[in-house]
Amino acid sequence: PFSPEKAMVCFGSMFVELPKAKTREMLRQDQEELDEEINNLRKELRVKVNRLYEAQGKPELKGFNLNPMSAEEMKLINRILEG
C-alpha cells in the first residue's frame, strides 16, 4: 500500500516513507551541496597542477583553466546546432 503523495527513501540500510515534496527538496539540496563541493575541488586541482608544473619547470598548461558549460548554455548550443 504505497501512497502516491509519498516516496520511499533509503537512509543507510533503512527505508523511510516521506512526502514527495520533502524528498524532492532534500535531493535538490544534496545536489547543490555536491555541485559546490565538485566546483571547489576543481578549483583546488587547477592550483595544485599549476604548482606541480611550476616545480617541474614546465610551462603552465594551456586551456586547463576552462570551465564547463552550464546546462542552459548546452541547451542553447544544441538549439543552434539543430538549426
Side-chain angles (χ1 to χ4, degrees):
F2 290 104
S3 169
E5 299 88 32
K6 296 201 175 200
M8 294 297 288
V9 182
C10 181
F11 290 103
S13 62
M14 178 176 63
F15 281 90
V16 179
E17 194 172 20
L18 294 173
K20 282 188 177 180
K22 176 68 174 167
T23 303
R24 190 174 292 117
E25 178 59 26
M26 287 171 45
L27 289 171
R28 185 196 60 74
Q29 189 173 3
D30 282 351
Q31 188 61 53
E32 283 180 7
E33 289 173 13
L34 289 171
D35 288 343
E36 185 176 329
E37 186 175 342
I38 287 168
N39 287 331
N40 288 338
L41 289 170
R42 282 182 178 147
K43 288 176 191 172
E44 291 173 17
L45 179 63
R46 289 176 183 145
V47 171
K48 289 176 181 178
V49 168
N50 282 334
R51 272 197 237 136
L52 176 64
Y53 268 63
E54 184 180 316
Q56 293 175 339
K58 295 180 180 177
E60 186 177 315
L61 285 175
K62 293 189 187 320
F64 191 68
N65 290 323
L66 299 175
N67 292 317
M69 288 197 289
S70 69
E72 187 63 31
E73 290 170 325
M74 283 301 297
K75 285 179 190 175
L76 292 172
I77 293 292
N78 286 331
R79 279 192 209 147
I80 291 169
L81 292 176
E82 290 172 0

